[in-house]
Amino acid sequence: MAITMQGSWTIRVASKNAAFAQHFVVTGADVGNGTYDGVVGTAVFASGAQWSINIQNQAPAQPWRDSAQRITFPTVSGGLVRFDIDSNDSGPDADYDDLVLTCSMPATASDYLVYGTVKTYSGRCLFNPCRDDYVVIDPPFSVLNLCTRFPELCGPLTRLYPERIVKPRPLPDPPPDVRPLVIPTGAPSLRTGVVFQSRLGSMPMGAVPRAEAKGARKGTEAASFERFEAEAVERLQTSARMVTFNAAPARAGADLLTAADFRAIAAIRDGILRFHCDSAVAPGLL
């Protein structure tokens, strides 16, 4: 499936290790749209509010097919943010090195880089097992049944969701409310991030040469991408530093709960975690 991108990135073919033909397709960008051969050294500049890259492969006498794709963890070095798109074609192996694209952009103080992993869970799970800062109960559920089964939760639920503590009544078909219940545990939601600091507030886009703005595949044009990135890095002089922060929203409902509520929530959560509950990375989601 295609990789969704935002902003301005340079895409390079880093490596190819496949017998099948390979190419990648850029769509939805303001500049850089097109189909590009999977030849090492190919470089393309793409920019837009939201666009996509899709790697495809072609077996002999067969149509082009989408490759399986996954992204590597972003890194910051030399003033550039980089990550790879690894792909696996229709061949018998599953090594994700058939065509590898490296995406890079000069980092600036105005940039935000968001990276995450989508997971699923199954089994005897009353709540989402992947978080420790909140008890997240996904629908379908009955708030009244939860209060009956776990009386200790009824007080916090009444304070957090008073509009949903109602007398039993027939539910319409389909039920209108698909929102989860989100109950703070009181534990800090500590996360690690990277803060960019740069001399200029944004990337000097006026320096983009005309060849790059149209997209490029030739070796001489690829070299001009290197010059453009080097010039942008020099002008921005961006540095990066790791920070730890509390990712919990400022008003997440924790101020509505008491110390006794938090102790009850912790006891229920710890008890339910003893049930068998599986989580796994969701396939095909990026």
Side-chain angles (χ1 to χ4, degrees):
M1 64 181 290
I3 308 294
T4 301
M5 305 280 286
Q6 294 87 27
S8 303
W9 294 82
T10 298
I11 310 157
R12 296 179 178 85
V13 178
S15 65
K16 177 179 179 291
N17 185 23
F20 293 171
Q22 308 281 326
H23 71 206
F24 65 96
V25 183
V26 176
T27 56
D30 295 334
V31 293
N33 293 323
T35 299
Y36 302 91
D37 293 333
V39 176
V40 174
T42 298
V44 176
F45 178 81
S47 179
Q50 181 160 302
W51 45 281
S52 64
I53 307 173
N54 194 24
I55 298 176
Q56 297 182 321
N57 69 89
Q58 185 183 48
Q62 296 293 321
W64 287 95
R65 302 180 186 275
D66 293 349
S67 298
Q69 299 160 69
R70 63 189 185 191
I71 62 177
T72 62
F73 196 84
T75 61
V76 182
S77 63
L80 294 174
V81 178
R82 293 186 179 92
F83 72 91
D84 289 345
I85 301 176
D86 301 335
S87 69
N88 185 58
D89 63 20
S90 306
D93 57 27
D95 45 18
Y96 280 87
D97 66 350
D98 295 318
L99 189 69
V100 176
L101 305 179
T102 296
C103 302
S104 63
M105 72 169 180
T108 76
S110 61
D111 288 321
Y112 295 85
L113 184 64
V114 180
Y115 179 94
T117 301
V118 180
K119 292 184 178 181
T120 62
Y121 66 91
S122 60
R124 299 177 64 187
C125 312
L126 174 66
F127 57 85
N128 188 326
C130 301
R131 301 196 65 145
D132 55 7
D133 49 352
Y134 295 97
V135 172
V136 179
I137 303 176
D138 291 314
F141 55 78
S142 165
V143 176
L144 291 175
N145 288 344
L146 288 172
C147 281
T148 302
R149 184 178 176 186
F150 305 101
E152 303 91 337
L153 276 183
C154 201
L157 287 176
T158 300
R159 284 186 283 278
L160 294 169
Y161 297 98
E163 75 283 358
R164 299 172 78 168
I165 305 294
V166 295
K167 294 181 179 181
R169 68 186 190 282
L171 290 176
D173 186 19
D177 205 336
V178 295
R179 295 173 298 169
L181 296 174
V182 181
I183 307 169
T185 65
S189 179
L190 297 180
R191 298 293 183 264
T192 301
V194 178
V195 172
F196 299 136
Q197 294 177 306
S198 57
R199 184 173 66 177
L200 301 179
S202 61
M203 183 174 170
M205 293 304 299
V208 179
R210 182 177 302 176
E212 278 86 307
K214 293 181 178 179
R217 284 181 280 183
K218 298 179 181 179
T220 55
E221 292 174 329
S224 66
F225 284 101
E226 303 288 346
R227 293 193 298 271
F228 161 65
E229 280 194 337
E231 179 184 348
V233 167
E234 174 62 26
R235 293 174 62 180
L236 290 166
Q237 295 187 12
T238 302
S239 61
R241 60 185 177 90
M242 301 293 293
V243 296
T244 300
F245 60 96
N246 187 354
R251 297 182 59 83
D255 55 340
L256 300 177
L257 305 183
T258 66
D261 290 333
F262 288 126
R263 287 194 294 269
I265 293 167
I268 293 171
R269 183 180 183 278
D270 293 343
I272 292 175
L273 281 178
R274 297 190 183 98
F275 293 119
H276 187 64
C277 191
D278 297 319
S279 62
V281 176
L285 296 177
L286 303 163

Short mmCIF file of all heavy atoms in Angstrom, two decimals, residues 35 48 73-74 124 158 168 197 222 231 246 251 286:
data_model
loop_
_atom_site.label_atom_id
_atom_site.label_comp_id
_atom_site.label_asym_id
_atom_site.label_seq_id
_atom_site.Cartn_x
_atom_site.Cartn_y
_atom_site.Cartn_z
N THR A 35 6.04 8.55 -12.40
CA THR A 35 6.51 7.18 -12.20
C THR A 35 8.01 7.15 -12.50
O THR A 35 8.45 7.64 -13.55
CB THR A 35 5.77 6.22 -13.15
OG1 THR A 35 4.36 6.26 -12.86
CG2 THR A 35 6.26 4.79 -12.96
N GLY A 48 4.24 18.90 -1.10
CA GLY A 48 2.80 19.13 -1.08
C GLY A 48 2.26 18.96 0.31
O GLY A 48 2.94 18.45 1.21
N PHE A 73 12.72 3.48 11.30
CA PHE A 73 12.61 4.55 12.29
C PHE A 73 13.37 5.78 11.79
O PHE A 73 14.50 5.66 11.30
CB PHE A 73 13.19 4.10 13.63
CG PHE A 73 12.79 4.98 14.77
CD1 PHE A 73 11.56 4.79 15.40
CD2 PHE A 73 13.61 6.01 15.20
CE1 PHE A 73 11.18 5.60 16.46
CE2 PHE A 73 13.23 6.83 16.25
CZ PHE A 73 12.01 6.62 16.87
N PRO A 74 12.79 6.98 11.88
CA PRO A 74 13.48 8.18 11.39
C PRO A 74 14.73 8.48 12.21
O PRO A 74 14.79 8.23 13.41
CB PRO A 74 12.43 9.29 11.58
CG PRO A 74 11.12 8.57 11.71
CD PRO A 74 11.43 7.27 12.36
N ARG A 124 -9.27 -12.03 25.79
CA ARG A 124 -10.15 -11.62 26.89
C ARG A 124 -9.70 -10.26 27.43
O ARG A 124 -9.18 -10.13 28.52
CB ARG A 124 -10.15 -12.69 27.98
CG ARG A 124 -10.64 -14.04 27.52
CD ARG A 124 -10.54 -15.08 28.65
NE ARG A 124 -11.42 -14.73 29.76
CZ ARG A 124 -11.43 -15.38 30.92
NH1 ARG A 124 -10.59 -16.39 31.11
NH2 ARG A 124 -12.26 -15.02 31.90
N THR A 158 -19.10 8.10 36.45
CA THR A 158 -20.15 9.10 36.64
C THR A 158 -19.58 10.51 36.54
O THR A 158 -20.21 11.41 35.99
CB THR A 158 -20.83 8.89 38.00
OG1 THR A 158 -21.40 7.58 38.04
CG2 THR A 158 -21.93 9.92 38.22
N PRO A 168 -31.48 2.10 31.94
CA PRO A 168 -31.52 1.19 30.79
C PRO A 168 -32.64 1.57 29.83
O PRO A 168 -33.74 1.93 30.23
CB PRO A 168 -31.79 -0.19 31.44
CG PRO A 168 -31.35 -0.03 32.86
CD PRO A 168 -31.60 1.40 33.23
N GLN A 197 16.08 22.93 16.40
CA GLN A 197 16.37 24.35 16.53
C GLN A 197 17.19 24.78 15.32
O GLN A 197 18.20 24.14 14.99
CB GLN A 197 17.15 24.63 17.82
CG GLN A 197 16.35 24.36 19.08
CD GLN A 197 17.15 24.57 20.35
OE1 GLN A 197 18.23 24.00 20.51
NE2 GLN A 197 16.64 25.39 21.24
N ALA A 222 20.27 14.45 -10.27
CA ALA A 222 20.37 13.90 -8.92
C ALA A 222 21.46 14.60 -8.13
O ALA A 222 21.31 14.86 -6.93
CB ALA A 222 20.63 12.40 -8.98
N GLU A 231 23.06 23.15 0.61
CA GLU A 231 22.85 24.59 0.78
C GLU A 231 21.78 24.86 1.85
O GLU A 231 21.94 25.75 2.70
CB GLU A 231 22.42 25.22 -0.54
CG GLU A 231 22.16 26.72 -0.42
CD GLU A 231 21.65 27.32 -1.71
OE1 GLU A 231 21.69 26.64 -2.76
OE2 GLU A 231 21.19 28.48 -1.67
N ASN A 246 5.56 15.04 29.02
CA ASN A 246 4.31 14.42 29.41
C ASN A 246 3.31 14.63 28.28
O ASN A 246 2.89 15.75 28.01
CB ASN A 246 3.79 15.02 30.71
CG ASN A 246 2.57 14.28 31.24
OD1 ASN A 246 2.05 13.39 30.58
ND2 ASN A 246 2.12 14.65 32.43
N ARG A 251 -6.18 18.84 29.98
CA ARG A 251 -7.46 18.57 30.64
C ARG A 251 -7.95 17.20 30.19
O ARG A 251 -8.77 17.06 29.30
CB ARG A 251 -8.48 19.66 30.30
CG ARG A 251 -8.09 21.04 30.78
CD ARG A 251 -9.17 22.06 30.46
NE ARG A 251 -10.45 21.72 31.07
CZ ARG A 251 -10.78 22.00 32.34
NH1 ARG A 251 -9.91 22.61 33.13
NH2 ARG A 251 -11.96 21.68 32.81
N LEU A 286 0.13 1.85 8.15
CA LEU A 286 1.34 2.62 8.35
C LEU A 286 0.98 3.98 8.94
O LEU A 286 -0.05 4.53 8.59
CB LEU A 286 2.08 2.81 7.03
CG LEU A 286 2.46 1.51 6.32
CD1 LEU A 286 2.81 1.77 4.87
CD2 LEU A 286 3.64 0.87 7.02
#
